[in-house]
Every structure is written in C-alpha cells, then in structure tokens.
Amino acid sequence: MTSALHQQPSDSSQIPVRDCFQNEDDRTILIVDDEEPVRKMFAEFLSEQYICTTAASSDEALSHLAAAPYALVISDMQMPGRNGIELLREIRSRYPDTAVIMVSGIDRPQRIRDALHVGAFDYLIKPCELDVWALSVERALERRSLTLTARSYRADLERQNIELAARKAELERLQAQIVHSEKMASLGQLAAGIAHELNNPAGFIYGNMDLLTEYVSRLETVLAVYDGASLSVATAERVTFTKTKISYSVLMSELRSMIADCREGAERIRDVVQSLRLFSRLDGGEVRKIDLHDSIESTIRLLSRYYGLGQIKLIRDYGTLPLVNCYAGQLNQGWTNVLVNAAQAVQSDGEVRISTRVEGQRVLIVISDNGCGIPADQLHKIFDPFFTTKQVGEGTGLGLSIIYGIIEKHGGSITAESEEGSGARFTISIPISTNTEFIITESSDSVLDHFS
C-alpha cells in the first residue's frame, strides 16, 4: 500500500487544543495502520497534545476499543484481514461516541462517499500534510465534543420538561383541591347552619314523644279504671255504643303505633342532624382524635340515596381501631368520594365491602366493590386531576385526585387494584399518629347524642 506522506516542517507543539478537549477521555486517539513507520510517525506527531495508542490491524484495534474508550480512531483503508470500511462499521455500531477519520492512498470519489456514508468524519488522501492532518483531528474531536455536549443538554432539557410536566400536574391537582376545598367549606357552613336550625324543632318533637308516651299510658290507666267500674245498664250501653262508633280498641292500638312511628322519625331526624354536623365539621383544619368507624358511618347515613334503599349490599368488616389523629372533615369527604364511586360502579344488586384493621402504627381501610372495574390502561391515571371514565356531565375527574391529596396530607397512601369487569379495591393507609404541629384535641361529639 502507499505509505508516503507529504511532510512539511511543522512544529507539533503548535497544534491548537481547545478547552473542550481538556478532559483526558476527550483526547485519546487510536491510530490503526499495518505499517509500523506510519503508525509511529502519526503517534509522534500527535502525542504531545493527545494520548495516542497504535494498532497494526482491525482486530487489534477492536481489542483496544473493548478495553478502553477512545475519542477518535484514525484508520487506514487497506489492511490485511478486515479492511478500514469493515472496521468503521464495527466502530459506528458498537462505539457510536467514537469519531473516525479514514486515510487512504486511493483517491476514488465513490470510496470517499462510501466512507462518509458509513459514518466517517473525514477522508484524507495520502500523501497529506501534517498540518492538514492536525486540523482534521482537531475538528473531529471538536465535533464529537459538541455532539456529546448537545446530547447532554438535550437529556437535561428532557428531564426538566418531565419535571415541569409533573409540577404542572401537581399544581393543577392542588389548584383543583383548593377550589374544591373552598366549595366544601362553604357547603359545610351551609350544612352546619341547616343542622343547627333543625336541631331545636326536632328536639321539641323528640322530647315530646317521651312525654306523649307517658301521658297516653296514664290515660289508658284511667280508661281501664272506667272499664272496670259498675255502670248502670243505660250508661253501659252508651259507653259500648260510643266505643264501637269511634273504634276504641283499634284507636288505642293505632295511637301507640303512631307514637312509636313519630319517635322513630324523630330519631332519624336526629341521626341526620348528627351526621350533618359530623360531616361538615368546621374544625376540619384541626387535627383531632376521632373514631374512624363513626366517621365512615356518618358518611354512609348521608349517602342513603345509594345505601339506604337496600339495592346495594353493604358489608362491614370492622376491626378494632384506636382513635386516630386526623383532619376529620377532610377524611369525611374522602370516604364520600370513594363510596359514591363504588356505588356508581355497582349501580344496583351489587356489593360494597368496607374492611378496617391495624398494621403496625397504621390503620388500613379497604373499600372494594364487585362493579364494572377499571380498564388496565387507565388504572395508572385515575388519581390524575380531571381524569374520569364517566360520561360527559357525570363527573369532573377531581374526586380521586382530591382523595389522593387528603390522604397524602395525613402522611398516608392510597392504592387502587382493579380488573375490568371484576370490580375495584381501594386500600387507604393512615398513620395512627399524624406528624403535625397543630394541637391535637379530643373529639367532643357526645353532645350530638341528644338535642338541646
């Protein structure tokens, strides 16, 4: 092969080395040529500014590349065994970050195009001036450095875009939660006002039922005395006629039944008022010790539209739970969203199960149903703001997102498991003791057990 090089007096110490080559890994060069004098000349010329290694064949060059990274490979085209093009293909396939300069004594345009097409940075024709050689090496290393820098910048931009997208989603979720919290606070004040206004009149009815029962019992005693008294024939006939006319025996039985019904109705009003006051706690911003079972039950009573008609079978599997430090009003909203979703998923003749237990220092609440389930490709998105599987106008896509924020605020977690057509299962984990700087107060809802 032609190995002659056109050499001009040149001071190798004057080869410029840019700042981007100061990294040692960016200055490593592998020189591949089957003629030892050519290899040595190239290495001696470049070694003052670069870290040079030589190889006599393509196989030896690939061994060097496997052992250590190189920034640049300078390879002859014509070599025994694998030629330069084959070596170039291997390098571009296995070491894409390594730049390659091809050197040949054959000046054929097609061969030059082939080398550049495969991925060579440059194609130098022997004999070539060493200054031209040095300039090509510098440009190849500079281009490689700029390519790696651009790739790093692009990776950073992609990572920042991902972070921005995540922050945007989090801000949307928080914004939606704030708006919803404001609405719930207004609704809570309204519900508390209604409960307060219902409290006294319902208390009159409930309290009077006890008195009415007692007074009717006294009247029955008096009437029993009259029934046992000795009356004249005429008086006895008039009494019997009057009792028959007013259906006395039926009247007394129905009177007792009506009193019992009114008492039951007053108790139901009392329960609704109690549930409203529990649900719409105006102290929702404070951490309180509450019974989670009472919190769940008050929510269920308010959801009688779904669970009070007997169409949905509600199974309670309650364990023994300690009082839990939490934001009571917010948790009530969380139970509401999960239970409404479960009821809407099963519609009618379905089953919803609520299980509670303690695991270590945490309480687990599992709410499952045997409804329509959630498609697998949508399960990972259900806690995203504004995502919903319901028809337009039936849901806002905020319910589960708000629940996620509420549980997260308590230092807990919520997970969902589901298969389409096989129902869904939500597992909520809440620490028994919430880490917070708020003062924890004892729940004082015993006042709700009676009307004042």
Side-chain angles (χ1 to χ4, degrees):
M1 59 169 283
T2 303
S3 61
L5 293 172
H6 182 62
Q7 300 185 44
Q8 292 184 349
S10 176
D11 185 358
S12 62
S13 64
Q14 298 302 314
I15 299 175
V17 180
R18 299 180 183 269
D19 291 342
C20 58
F21 304 153
Q22 295 307 309
N23 188 333
E24 199 170 273
D25 290 339
D26 293 335
R27 297 167 49 241
T28 54
I29 299 177
L30 177 61
I31 301 170
V32 187
D33 198 299
D34 59 331
E35 294 189 12
E36 184 177 359
V38 176
R39 296 196 304 270
K40 285 186 176 180
M41 183 186 63
F42 287 166
E44 288 176 359
F45 176 69
L46 298 173
S47 60
E48 292 192 16
Q49 300 295 340
Y50 304 104
I51 303 171
C52 297
T53 305
T54 61
S57 66
S58 296
D59 291 337
E60 185 182 350
L62 291 173
S63 298
H64 283 299
L65 287 167
Y70 286 87
L72 174 66
V73 173
I74 302 172
S75 174
D76 188 22
M77 286 289 290
Q78 298 294 329
M79 292 183 294
R82 298 188 190 185
N83 60 30
I85 289 293
E86 292 175 342
L87 175 61
L88 173 61
R89 288 196 177 95
E90 285 289 327
I91 293 173
R92 300 311 300 162
S93 173
R94 294 160 59 179
Y95 310 103
D97 292 338
T98 300
V100 180
I101 295 176
M102 303 304 298
V103 182
S104 176
I106 301 174
D107 185 6
R108 292 179 185 173
Q110 184 59 45
R111 176 164 291 192
I112 296 173
R113 284 194 295 268
D114 290 344
L116 296 177
H117 179 72
V118 172
F121 171 77
D122 203 351
Y123 189 101
L124 300 178
I125 306 298
K126 297 178 182 179
C128 59
E129 297 178 1
L130 291 180
D131 288 339
V132 174
W133 182 276
L135 180 60
S136 179
V137 169
E138 180 189 353
R139 290 176 57 205
L141 291 176
E142 181 181 30
R143 178 181 174 183
R144 173 185 176 272
S145 179
L146 291 175
T147 300
L148 295 178
T149 301
R151 185 186 304 168
S152 176
Y153 285 160
R154 184 173 63 184
D156 287 341
L157 286 174
E158 291 175 353
R159 177 181 55 78
Q160 291 175 11
N161 286 338
I162 293 173
E163 291 179 357
L164 287 174
R167 290 178 182 178
K168 179 176 178 291
E170 179 67 11
L171 286 174
E172 289 178 346
R173 184 184 69 80
L174 292 175
Q175 183 181 21
Q177 184 175 343
I178 290 171
V179 171
H180 191 81
S181 297
E182 291 295 327
K183 291 181 179 179
M184 289 307 300
S186 299
L187 182 59
Q189 291 178 349
L190 177 62
I194 293 173
H196 179 73
E197 293 300 323
L198 287 176
N199 192 41
N200 287 336
F204 302 153
I205 299 172
Y206 185 77
N208 287 338
M209 286 301 101
D210 289 331
L211 294 176
L212 187 57
T213 301
E214 181 182 351
Y215 292 165
V216 169
S217 177
R218 293 178 184 179
L219 289 175
E220 286 181 334
T221 302
V222 173
L223 292 175
V225 171
Y226 277 110
D227 285 341
S230 297
L231 304 174
S232 63
V233 175
T235 302
E237 289 177 353
R238 287 199 306 272
V239 171
T240 301
F241 175 77
T242 303
K243 285 183 176 181
T244 303
K245 183 178 180 180
I246 66 173
S247 301
Y248 174 75
S249 59
V250 176
L251 184 148
M252 294 304 298
S253 175
E254 289 186 353
L255 182 59
R256 287 189 293 270
S257 177
M258 285 190 297
I259 293 174
D261 290 343
C262 289
R263 183 182 182 86
E264 181 183 353
E267 289 175 348
R268 292 175 65 178
I269 293 174
R270 178 196 64 183
D271 292 341
V272 169
V273 170
Q274 177 180 348
S275 298
L276 278 174
R277 295 179 66 178
L278 283 172
F279 184 84
S280 60
R281 294 173 184 263
L282 298 180
D283 58 354
E286 299 177 3
V287 178
R288 299 175 64 86
K289 288 185 177 180
I290 69 164
D291 186 332
L292 289 184
H293 292 155
D294 287 346
S295 176
I296 295 172
E297 287 299 319
S298 69
T299 303
I300 292 172
R301 287 194 292 270
L302 288 179
L303 296 179
S304 58
R305 167 190 174 189
Y306 299 103
Y307 297 101
L309 303 177
Q311 294 180 336
I312 298 176
K313 184 179 181 182
L314 182 62
I315 301 175
R316 298 170 174 85
D317 182 16
Y318 290 164
T320 302
L321 302 183
L323 296 180
V324 176
N325 299 331
C326 64
Y327 300 90
Q330 294 183 23
L331 274 188
N332 288 341
Q333 180 61 33
W335 311 140
T336 300
N337 291 349
V338 177
L339 290 171
V340 167
N341 283 348
Q344 292 175 343
V346 302
Q347 294 182 351
S348 60
D349 300 327
E351 178 181 297
V352 175
R353 176 184 292 270
I354 306 173
S355 302
T356 62
R357 65 180 184 275
V358 175
E359 284 192 1
Q361 295 300 312
R362 306 178 78 84
V363 171
L364 294 186
I365 302 95
V366 180
I367 301 177
S368 58
D369 64 73
N370 61 353
C372 58
I374 305 169
D377 61 336
Q378 298 178 354
L379 186 61
H380 68 286
K381 299 187 290 185
I382 61 174
F383 295 110
D384 293 345
F386 309 111
F387 175 79
T388 180
T389 58
K390 299 175 183 177
Q391 299 296 325
V392 176
E394 293 184 4
T396 63
L398 294 176
L400 291 178
S401 173
I402 290 169
I403 295 170
Y404 186 89
I406 290 172
I407 301 303
E408 188 179 57
K409 184 176 180 180
H410 285 78
S413 62
I414 177 170
T415 59
E417 305 169 49
S418 180
E419 292 184 8
E420 191 170 7
S422 300
R425 172 189 175 98
F426 288 86
T427 302
I428 300 171
S429 172
I430 301 175
I432 296 174
S433 179
T434 302
N435 293 326
T436 177
E437 296 179 357
F438 287 108
I439 298 176
I440 299 174
T441 57
E442 294 289 344
S443 179
S444 56
D445 293 319
S446 59
V447 68
L448 300 174
D449 293 337
H450 60 81
F451 291 94
S452 57

